[in-house]
């Protein structure tokens, strides 16, 4: 496989860009995702998207960052328990660096559309409220880190998919544009999980047009066997590899298979 | 054919995961389906899905498990009689380990929407009621097994397909999410039969995104002859073979044809 | 062409299954269609479906069976006259072993929606009425054969296609499920003719999922020439050949062309 | 090209069938179209369908038959004038053997929906009226030929296409079934011109299922050049060639190009 | 490339047909378009359709014909100015042989739906009015040419495409049928420009079925480069080349590239 | 790759056409875009469309032209900041040669639908208002350049895509026709960015039919790697290369990779 970077030799820009290492695909990205980016993680069912998100969150936590995890289609308990299967202990970071926003429980229960605790999103359809919660949490984190200048905040959404059943498409576009404006301003990195093939192609195209970066995970069928591939389709403000890279899901999470990286 | 496991060499996780052997495709699954899984069995008409389900149920019964069978498009009599064609005597387990929930009779007859016996589902469209019946039955089984710590309960639905004619898609998604939450909590394994090609592709994708595992059965046309193939498309918490495996339907049920397994 | 049976060597089941020889495709079916089956005969326009149906009916009559023929898109006169072109004299069996139900006349004439004779279906859209007529006729045949234990009754519908213009899809599915339940209980064999390509693919898939067996007739274009092929796509409770088999329409009806059969 | 007949060696049936020679494609049809047939002539725009129809009508007239021509998308004047370009003098047969029904003038003018002369169809949408006109004309022809036993009547429609803009599909199916019933009873041959690609595929399939015979005319693109091909897709009660046959439109009309015919 | 004519060697008909040379594609058309033809010029955006139309109009003017140009998506000024880029001086013919009907200005301005001058079409949606204007102009031209027997009148529409946004499809079909009837009667030649891919395929097919001739212009992608090709798909009453012919847009307009022509 | 120009050797027209050099793709365009052109820049998400637009605007500014930038999906701050990443200092031209029209802020905020400053478009859906703003700005620029005869004005829209969510298609066509009429009259060059795949193909075709020129940017997948290609699909009044040309996004913007250019 021919791995070419979409950008010419490293230089001034590349050096100026501040990056967040993912611990997973950094060789594809000149070291990491540029700060101030909203990244779409789109892929086939069972390709390992949630594993990627969890691994990314854990790597941020051990690196010292603050992490906001918005859970839409998985419970808080299960998310943490699944992470443990890979040896990623999220539990210890709760109430400290890790902030889980639970948008799952009320959605499943169809419960009251208001929240008793600040970490429960009562109604995921109200996307402007979600933006407000993210803003409040950002403020709180900054206040909790008085001695850190501009503390690094990483966000993850697992996953966008249920939003499409309950929310008008235009409202989702607006949510993404709002989140992007906020992330740019505060130099946050957000990774948003989404199933491919659930929405019509033009919807996927519009979302890809709005976000700053796109990571794709795909199961290719080759000679009657499925193989897992991952690609950085695009990423603003950085050079990146433009090829599909094979990967495995191992006991310690996602591992790229390309020897040259 | 190249059989690669999607997961690296066996280790700690694999050992920790408790498995339910299927007696059919265990070589593809490191020995069986992880406990606490909802598995979709999706395939072409006449590919042998109901045979798979029946064979799986019978294997659980002879292995000592409790089995709940929800019949939606086949009568109780015919299901048991068809099993006998393969030499699988389900009759002896009735009223003991085997619990047949009949959602077929009332659906076909258009009869009253309430049930005279606890084993008849009066209205399959009321999916929250189905969840309640499964919960009650689970409680009953646990009470009936006072000396067993957490008795193994296996569920099967044959098949989901008629639900799509009568129920809103979102309600089916909710049913699956509810069933998954319950199965995870109680470490049950459920296998849900569904015809491929009946629903629009995005509906199949969403269902594949919700469930924990996906087994596909397909008739490929090769040189003007149909051949049967089966594949584990994905399965949470376990390594598995990612290839299409040929199989036959023999007198003793489904038999994989690959020599290397 | 490689002719493999989808089932392993003959054994106990195969011996237990009672079969109705078709006189046309028996080498593909281990000798015939299992009693208690609803079989879909689906194919291209002008592929010879009605010829197949007529030939099958005639073969049953000379074999001594009772035959119910439900005519939806061809008149009673024309059906009998066309049969004569192939040398199949149906006339002599009328009012004895052959029972023609005429659903054509009233449909075309748009006449009164009640019937003056018991052999005219006044309104084909009322599928539950059709089921009732079939039940009544079954009872009558049994009463007329007091000395025969469980007289063999064969049914044929030529064709289902007009039903789709006038009847809701769900009602057709219900009709097929009802007919299947009745045919299983009374060990009748029904063959239902249907044009492929008239309904959306998912409708064909659902119908294929409901019936017990599927026979396909197709015109393949090979090197700018059409060639006729026939296949048993699936058949419950029997082994069968899974290949496309070339056939000709000769003076004595449909003849398979494969030398090895 | 391999020309195989879809039927086995000539025999009893073939001899019994009465045929109408077309003068165009008889080598493909064992000599002609069986009497009592409704034949669909379907093809691409500009493939020569109207030329075929006109040539067929002219050949019938010089052979002594009575011809009914129903003109829907061409004026009476232009139809006759175009025929003359090929040297086919229809004029002399008017008011004698040739009966032109003009469904064009009123359709284009949007004029009054009643007719001043019996040869003008005031409203083509009223298909049952069209059937009535054909019946009346048939009676008149029989009365005019008191010394001929069962005079041969040939019909042609040029073309069905505008009907689809103004008439419900089901009504067109009914028109075709009525026309077929009438043509069978009176041993008439009707050729109906229709553009392919104007209706959805399933509509074409249903029409192909209703008619007795199908002739297709097609422009294939081969190496950036269009080539004209014609095929008998199906024809009841006769053997026929199943291959695409190249043809040219010459000064004397359509001429098949295959040397072996 | 193999250039075959769809018609056999020249003879009587060909000699009788009166032709209008196009000055562009005459080698493909036995010398020109038969008088009394409505010709569709259909093609990709930017393939040069308007250039073809303008070149054709200019060639008619220098040949002495009267030309009616109906401008729908280009202003009068720009049309004339663009022609000048190719050295075609239309200006001198205005108010004499060249009659520009401006359907652009009012359409763009949304102005009053009546016209102050006879050369402005106030509302292009009123297609019967357009026919009336063409008839009036024809009468006027004949009156202005008292000494010429049946003066040649050529029409061009640039382009039909905007009609489809504002007019019901059936009305457009009627407009074309009316224009065809009028052109046939008066032996006029009309060329109608239309973008391919703007309407659904069946609409293009119907329009192709109505018109007398079809010229296609297409950009093929060959080895990552676009190449321009032109084809006469069909033309009533004349032999014509059936191949795609490459062309260039040069300083003097469209030039066919085939050496053999 | 074979680079052929769609036009014959340079001559009179080419010399007469006034051109605006792009600084990016001039070798493909005989030196630049003809004055008085509306050009569509259509392409895949993340292909670099906004980079192209920005680079083009900067090149115009350093060349002395006046530039109008209509920002629809990016904020004024971010647009200028992103330009700086490539070393393009737009800031210095603000309030002088560069006129940014902000249609982003009010769209995102859903703010009041009137504007406090002349450089904010309160409601992008009101496309006739946008045309008015462009006209006013044009007048203002002309008044500000009293000593320049017909000052060069370049426009850019980044991007059209959000218009399609909020505006009826016909209104967008009208906007483009109005903008084209204005640009032609005033010899302005406008480049309009648009995502491909967001609208149905026929909408893209219509837009391509309206504009004067089309530049396409595309990511091709070759051997599992994405490669960037750019093409001039069409451009009125000039010869141009018709091939896909590979390009890179480097530190100094878009650079064509073809050696021969």
């Amino acid at each position: 496989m021919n791995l070419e970077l979409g950008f010419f030799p490293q230089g001034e820009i590349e050096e100026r860009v501040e990056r967040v290492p993912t611990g997973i695909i950094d060789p594809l990205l000149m070291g990491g995702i540029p700060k101030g980016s909203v990244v779409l993680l789109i892929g086939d069912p069972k390709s390992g998207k949630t594993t990627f998100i969890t691994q990314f969150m854990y790597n941020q936590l051990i690196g010292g960052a603050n992490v906001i995890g918005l859970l839409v289609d998985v419970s808080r308990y299960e998310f943490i328990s699944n992470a443990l299967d890979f040896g990623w202990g999220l539990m210890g970071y709760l109430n400290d660096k890790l902030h889980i926003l639970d948008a799952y429980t009320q959605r499943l229960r169809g419960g009251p559309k208001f929240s008793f605790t600040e970490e429960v999103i009562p109604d995921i359809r109200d996307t402007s409220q979600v933006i407000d919660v993210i803003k409040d949490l950002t403020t709180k984190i900054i206040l909790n880190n008085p001695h850190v200048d501009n503390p690094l905040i990483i966000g993850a959404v697992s996953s966008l998919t249920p939003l499409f059943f309950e929310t008008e498409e235009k409202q989702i576009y607006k949510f993404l544009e709002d989140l992007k404006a906020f992330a740019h301003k505060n130099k946050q990195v957000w990774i948003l999980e989404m199933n491919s093939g659930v929405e019509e192609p033009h919807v996927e195209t519009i979302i890809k047009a709005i976000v700053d970066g796109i990571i794709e995970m795909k199961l290719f069928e080759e000679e009657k066997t499925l193989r897992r591939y991952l690609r950085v389709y695009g990423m603003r403000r950085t050079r990146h590899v433009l090829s599909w890279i094979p990967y495995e899901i191992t006991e310690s999470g996602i591992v790229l298979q390309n020897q040259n990286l």
Side-chain angles (χ1 to χ4, degrees), chain A:
Chain A
M1 196 176 304
N2 187 355
L3 296 181
E4 279 179 45
L5 294 170
F7 239 67
F8 261 36
Q10 193 158 359
E12 215 177 314
I13 311 176
E14 292 294 335
E15 280 162 22
R16 204 169 55 216
V17 169
E18 293 178 89
R19 293 166 188 284
V20 173
T22 62
I24 313 173
I25 55 167
D26 299 323
L28 311 182
L29 277 171
M30 303 295 295
I33 299 171
K35 285 190 186 174
S37 294
V38 170
V39 176
L40 182 72
L41 178 68
I42 187 166
D44 290 331
K46 311 299 157 215
S47 58
K49 295 182 301 297
T50 308
T51 303
F52 186 110
I53 290 266
T54 314
Q55 187 171 358
F56 175 70
M57 285 166 70
Y58 181 69
N59 289 343
Q60 299 313 311
L61 289 169
I62 59 179
N66 299 277
V67 174
I68 301 172
L70 174 59
L71 303 184
V72 185
D73 63 356
V74 60
S75 76
R76 187 185 166 91
Y77 168 77
E78 193 154 353
F79 186 77
I80 289 167
S81 155
N82 290 345
L84 215 56
D85 279 350
F86 291 95
W88 305 324
L90 299 180
M91 208 62 188
Y93 296 93
L94 273 173
N95 301 320
D96 179 22
K97 290 286 188 186
L98 175 60
H99 307 265
I100 298 283
L101 296 172
D102 173 7
Y104 171 79
T105 309
Q106 296 296 74
R107 189 174 66 81
L108 213 68
R109 281 197 197 142
K113 291 307 178 204
F114 56 89
S115 176
F116 295 100
T117 83
E118 60 182 4
E119 299 209 334
V120 173
I121 305 284
D123 187 355
I124 189 69
R125 293 172 301 187
D126 184 351
T127 54
S128 67
Q129 194 196 47
V130 175
I131 291 288
D132 286 346
V133 170
I134 290 168
K135 287 182 178 172
D136 290 351
L137 205 43
T138 298
T139 308
K140 191 176 141 192
I141 291 169
I142 292 171
L143 292 176
N144 286 352
N145 291 272
H147 307 300
V148 185
D149 196 33
N150 202 6
L152 178 62
I153 300 178
I154 302 297
V157 179
S158 177
S159 79
L160 285 184
T161 300
L163 259 77
F164 289 100
F165 311 153
E166 316 200 343
T167 318
E168 229 193 321
E169 284 166 16
K170 281 182 202 173
Q171 199 179 333
I172 295 176
Y173 305 154
K174 186 162 183 342
F175 169 68
L176 295 176
E177 289 198 290
D178 285 342
L179 182 62
K180 187 170 73 162
F182 185 76
H184 288 195
K185 198 171 143 207
N186 294 277
K187 297 207 161 231
Q188 298 183 354
V189 168
W190 279 83
I191 299 203
L192 316 176
E193 182 184 342
M194 177 179 168
N195 274 287
S196 55
V198 161
E199 284 304 310
E200 293 185 61
H202 78 270
V203 174
E204 288 190 6
T205 304
I206 292 168
I207 291 175
K208 286 175 174 174
I210 294 173
V211 296
D212 299 298
I214 301 154
I215 302 166
E216 295 174 312
M217 297 176 82
K218 201 170 163 69
L219 297 171
F220 284 97
E221 184 165 338
E222 295 170 350
E223 296 169 39
K224 293 221 153 126
T225 295
L226 291 174
R227 293 187 193 285
R228 296 184 167 102
Y229 286 91
L230 174 157
R231 174 169 75 180
V232 180
Y233 182 89
M235 188 72 66
R236 274 202 332 118
R237 305 183 59 216
T238 182
R239 291 189 283 152
H240 59 89
V241 173
L242 285 161
S243 304
W244 284 110
I245 306 297
Y247 67 95
E248 304 270 353
I249 303 178
T250 73
E251 290 212 312
S252 39
I254 287 167
V255 175
L256 300 187
Q257 295 302 302
N258 198 286
Q259 312 293 351
N260 305 324
L261 298 176

